[in-house]
Amino acid sequence: MPQHDLSACPGCAEPLDSGDRFCGACGYDLSAVPAPPADRPTVAIGTPVNWPDAPPRDPGSLSTVTQHPGDLPGTDSGGHDLPPTPGGPAYGAPAAGAAPGPTARAEGPGPLPQGPAGSAAPAAGASWETGAAPGAVASGRDMATVPVRTDGPHAAATSGSGLAALAAGTPEPPAPTPAVPDGDFALAAPDPRTVPPTATPPAGTKLCVACRAGHVDPDGYCENCGHAQPRERDHMEQELSTVAAVSDRGLRHHRNEDAFAVSATALPDGSPATLAIVCDGVSSATRPDEASAAAASAAGQTLLTALPRGTHPQQAMHEAIVAASEAVNALAEEPGQGGMEHDPHRHQNAPACTIVGAVVADGLLIVGWVGDSRAYWVPDDRTSPPARLTQDDSWAAQMVAAGLMNEAEAYADERAHAITGWLGADAYELEPHTAAFKPDRPGVVVVCTDGLWNYAEAAEDMARVVPPDAAGRLLHGAQVLVGHALDGGGHDNVTVALLPFALSPQGAGSA
């Protein structure tokens, strides 16, 4: 009984075991399955092959003799020797007057060999001209050697007359090459038609920062060179007459998760009011960049609405922080879903950020915050003491407040910067902090994220890095502070806003 070598029944595709004589599912007689055909033998790699001898090379020629059909002995499809060429020597026999060895000939049956650039071979008895020397002619066996250039196609291969000349056996000489003192081949100048023109970009688009020629597509890539453009939030600056802010991605982060809002308005009596909001996205949360942007925008808009209405600046700051918290909470909501019923864990890593803000209005300095972003007071008279105006919502601050550690010990701990308060749907509870100050001397308010104060933590350190003329050059002062953080390592995003405080005519009181 021949053994089958099947894995499945030919009738019903039921899996089979070795040794089965019938299919257990349909009863198919496996003995009736024809045996597989014998495999063709395979020639092992490395088996010696009797290749014909290589054709010789004529003296002065740049190529070997070209072999054509009929030059080598062989057999037809039936295994019989090929017949001799009608009207010529037998296949494989040397031509009269030729050197011993195979000879390439143009006559004989079959298609003529093709010359360079697709041209036809010369007629019977004609010879190919070689590139050995002008006028040198091989003994009817060598293919023409086409001159090679690196600055563009050869004339003989790009014009009708050149092709005809090659077909006739007289290719056109290459174009003269200008002499170069060092002997190198001179490359042709680029075709100006292939260089994209530099044009003014259409309205709403911008030029590439890399090639300065291509337009930037909506995805942020140059249409000309493909270079990715810097993201808008990687570095932001804004300057008004009474406030300026700078935000930078830093040197270690892949994106900028900070945001700010600065603006100026007027109180009901017409006196000016200036505000600055700075937010720092919590990197361990989802979409921290969106959280900081939403919070800064909501807080800024709330202050711009409340202050002209006559709301007390400290109450307006409280309302601004509440509005910012609601904006961040909204990012955690899933449109069209059932909230907690849909995903009971959606609040565990919701978008989150910290916030700090300052308002200068009517001789008052109001600050508000949640988290570890800070505000500092730096007087213009540097002989007067500076001050930190905010208290961090952090592990270190809690340890110091509880009397469990001194400040040096707490901030040396690896848990020091773990925040205990933030804006976000997963915050334990919202506790906006606000404070009002009435300075008795002019100075500058520094509102910043920890990307700056990590490099100037104490108030005295911050006062040393704020330029003396910061009140008169706000944007320059903010740029200097961001540069200080970048020079220190730029481990985090860096954002700072500067607001000058000038005494009102009746300015009295103390901080």
Side-chain angles (χ1 to χ4, degrees), residues 205-226:
T205 62
K206 58 182 180 180
L207 285 178
C208 171
V209 300
C211 68
R212 306 304 302 172
H215 300 159
V216 179
D217 63 21
D219 293 333
Y221 291 87
C222 175
E223 296 176 348
N224 177 50
C225 68

Side-chain angles (χ1 to χ4, degrees), residues 172-480:
E172 293 182 355
T177 301
V180 182
D182 58 4
D184 291 339
F185 189 86
L187 297 177
D191 188 345
R193 294 170 296 179
T194 64
V195 179
T198 300
T200 302
T205 62
K206 58 182 180 180
L207 285 178
C208 171
V209 300
C211 68
R212 306 304 302 172
H215 300 159
V216 179
D217 63 21
D219 293 333
Y221 291 87
C222 175
E223 296 176 348
N224 177 50
C225 68
H227 189 90
Q229 305 300 295
R231 287 169 291 191
E232 183 179 358
R233 287 185 64 174
D234 282 357
H235 185 88
M236 300 178 291
E237 297 184 357
Q238 187 175 354
E239 181 182 30
L240 304 176
S241 59
T242 55
V243 63
V246 176
S247 181
D248 192 89
R249 178 170 60 94
L251 305 180
R252 301 295 182 89
H253 281 225
H254 71 285
R255 65 181 175 186
N256 189 359
E257 297 170 356
D258 289 356
F260 66 80
V262 295
S263 190
T265 185
L267 302 180
D269 62 359
S271 58
T274 305
L275 61 97
I277 300 292
V278 169
C279 297
D280 183 358
V282 178
S283 296
S284 60
T286 58
R287 297 148 61 198
D289 53 330
E290 296 181 32
S292 62
S297 177
Q301 289 299 323
T302 300
L303 287 171
L304 287 178
T305 302
L307 292 173
R309 212 170 44 211
T311 304
H312 188 279
Q314 190 167 359
Q315 177 63 28
M317 178 63 72
H318 180 93
E319 295 175 0
I321 295 177
V322 173
S325 176
E326 293 173 350
V328 177
N329 291 349
L331 295 177
E333 301 296 333
E334 298 178 355
Q337 304 294 341
M340 291 294 289
E341 292 77 17
H342 173 73
D343 183 3
H345 304 291
R346 68 183 179 87
H347 288 292
Q348 292 184 1
N349 195 28
C353 69
T354 66
I355 186 171
V356 62
V359 172
V360 174
D362 195 25
L364 292 177
L365 168 58
I366 309 297
V367 296
W369 73 96
V370 173
D372 62 350
S373 293
R374 295 180 177 180
Y376 291 83
W377 162 255
V378 178
D380 290 346
D381 180 7
R382 298 305 169 84
T383 62
S384 301
R388 196 178 93 194
L389 307 178
T390 58
Q391 185 68 40
D392 296 346
D393 289 320
S394 68
W395 180 90
Q398 283 191 345
M399 293 299 102
V400 175
L404 301 177
M405 291 184 178
N406 60 41
E407 190 167 353
E409 293 172 340
Y411 281 96
D413 194 282
E414 61 182 7
R415 297 165 290 180
H417 292 281
I419 58 175
T420 58
W422 62 88
L423 305 183
D426 57 355
Y428 299 110
E429 58 181 334
L430 177 64
E431 294 184 3
H433 310 292
T434 61
F437 302 91
K438 195 169 185 180
D440 61 354
R441 66 203 69 196
V444 176
V445 184
V446 180
V447 184
C448 64
T449 62
D450 60 345
L452 171 61
W453 67 253
N454 276 331
Y455 300 98
E457 185 171 345
E460 294 76 12
D461 298 332
M462 185 65 70
R464 278 194 294 269
V465 298
V466 173
D469 59 350
R473 303 175 63 193
L474 294 174
L475 181 60
H476 173 262
Q479 292 170 337
V480 169

